[in-house]
Amino acid sequence: MTRSGDEGSRVSRRALLGGLGAAAALSVVGCSDDDADEGGAVDGGTDGGPGGDSERSAAGGRADPVEPEVIAYGQDSPLQVGALTLTDNEAREPVPVVVLVHGGFWRAGFDRSLMAPLALSLGREGIAAWNLDYRPIGEGGGWPTTFTDVADGIDHLATLAPDRLLDLDRVAVVGHSAGGTLALWSAARAGLPAAIPGADPAVSPLAVVSQAGVTNLAAAAVEGLGRGAAVELMGGQPTGDDGADYLYASPVERLPLGTEVRQLLVHGSADVIVPPAQSETYAARADDAGDEVTLEVVSGADHFVMIDPDGEPWATVLAFLRDAFA
């Protein structure tokens, strides 16, 4: 495991596991409407980043990407849509694509607009962005629907690829907070038993990024993260009748992903929404399992700087993606 950040040297497995217990004190903290205001307004209708639809201006020698195209990937709900942001592709060659998965503790009231600034940033890099919405808790979501929506959205790239010139050999998934759960889970789908929802993926990512993600749903349930969001998502406690489902939904339970999938976990040391121990413990277990995983703990960073396209954490993600797609 490659690890950097304010702690410096590699942290022992015991210290990492102990951090989850200390994080229980944060259990009353959730992703409230005030939190959404801190991270950016959720209006459900803007895909062009801050200030509205993307503008035609030069950025670092590149033109801004074209206006996002909203495309349905399912027929069961109007929430089964994604916004595809393409870059100018004068060479007419297949381009890499990043799937973006927003957070919000899997609850209604949050949507793909949270990730729209990152989609614009990717377009300026010459990378296509597929920014997904999905059914949340209370609107048809929960296990397994929220998860299979993301799976279906990713698999829909196989339908879009020929006409949009997407390179399915260079697909990455990036998720923030609750979206980090879904991103890591999506990269583990190939290892799911055949009878489990989400198994047998049509599109498999070569890289996955968790931005302050919830990697351990059982720990999140026990600690009450997001005012009980994990229990709502899974329909019960990990020790109850629905406990077996946690083994298929929780990213930490789906390790290893295999060395063919590169993993980056970025977390702020000052995050009080999702404790850094979530990423630290996952990274330690992934490393022990033989996976290729990098953990970046950003000193002083909070939960929402992760989705700031001008912030240090996003620069780290872009560097990781450039290297993965090279």
Side-chain angles (χ1 to χ4, degrees):
M1 173 178 67
T2 302
R3 188 183 191 282
S4 61
D6 57 316
E7 276 86 357
S9 60
R10 184 168 176 168
V11 178
S12 72
R13 184 76 180 271
R14 179 178 299 176
L16 293 179
L17 295 175
L20 273 179
L26 301 174
S27 63
V28 297
V29 179
C31 194
S32 66
D33 292 340
D34 291 340
D35 297 329
D37 291 340
E38 180 184 350
V42 179
D43 62 13
T46 300
D47 288 304
D53 292 338
S54 58
E55 300 173 357
R56 293 284 187 170
S57 61
R62 293 182 183 272
D64 275 3
V66 298
E67 183 175 346
E69 178 185 8
V70 179
I71 304 168
Y73 62 80
Q75 299 179 342
D76 297 327
S77 168
L79 293 173
Q80 292 175 310
V81 297
L84 182 65
T85 299
L86 296 174
T87 185
D88 289 333
N89 187 0
E90 295 180 0
R92 302 297 296 167
E93 295 179 351
V95 297
V97 56
V98 170
V99 181
L100 296 171
V101 190
H102 70 82
F105 274 123
W106 315 286
R107 291 190 174 112
F110 303 89
D111 61 25
R112 67 179 186 270
S113 64
L114 287 170
M115 306 295 273
L118 303 188
L120 184 60
S121 174
L122 289 165
R124 289 171 171 162
E125 292 283 325
I127 300 170
W130 179 223
N131 190 7
L132 294 180
D133 276 325
Y134 51 83
R135 284 174 286 181
I137 300 164
E139 295 189 25
W143 170 262
T145 311
T146 296
F147 293 77
T148 55
D149 276 2
V150 171
D152 291 344
I154 294 172
D155 286 349
H156 196 65
L157 289 173
T159 299
L160 300 177
D163 290 340
R164 275 77 171 187
L165 295 178
L166 305 178
D167 186 349
L168 296 184
D169 290 327
R170 291 187 293 167
V171 175
V173 186
V174 175
H176 175 244
S177 193
T181 310
L182 300 168
L184 290 170
W185 175 86
S186 74
R189 291 171 57 202
L192 288 170
I196 300 302
D200 192 24
V203 176
S204 296
L206 62 80
V208 60
V209 179
S210 170
Q211 304 169 295
V214 181
T215 68
N216 188 330
L217 289 174
V222 171
E223 295 166 9
L225 296 186
R227 303 186 308 277
V231 176
E232 293 178 25
L233 176 74
M234 298 305 299
Q237 292 283 351
T239 54
D241 293 338
D242 300 305
D245 291 337
Y246 281 79
L247 299 178
Y248 302 118
S250 184
V252 76
E253 302 293 347
R254 303 315 310 160
L255 293 169
L257 302 189
T259 55
E260 64 274 12
V261 181
R262 297 179 59 177
Q263 303 175 64
L264 170 66
L265 293 91
V266 186
H267 219 119
S269 68
D271 192 334
V272 296
I273 305 296
V274 177
Q278 280 274 336
S279 290
E280 292 170 333
T281 302
Y282 177 97
R285 294 186 184 179
D287 185 51
D288 285 351
D291 280 356
E292 184 177 347
V293 57
T294 299
L295 171 65
E296 293 278 353
V297 178
V298 184
S299 179
D302 66 11
H303 191 66
F304 291 106
V305 72
M306 297 295 149
I307 51 175
D308 177 358
D310 297 321
E312 175 189 346
W314 182 242
T316 297
V317 174
L318 284 179
F320 172 81
L321 293 172
R322 292 188 200 106
D323 188 58
F325 290 150

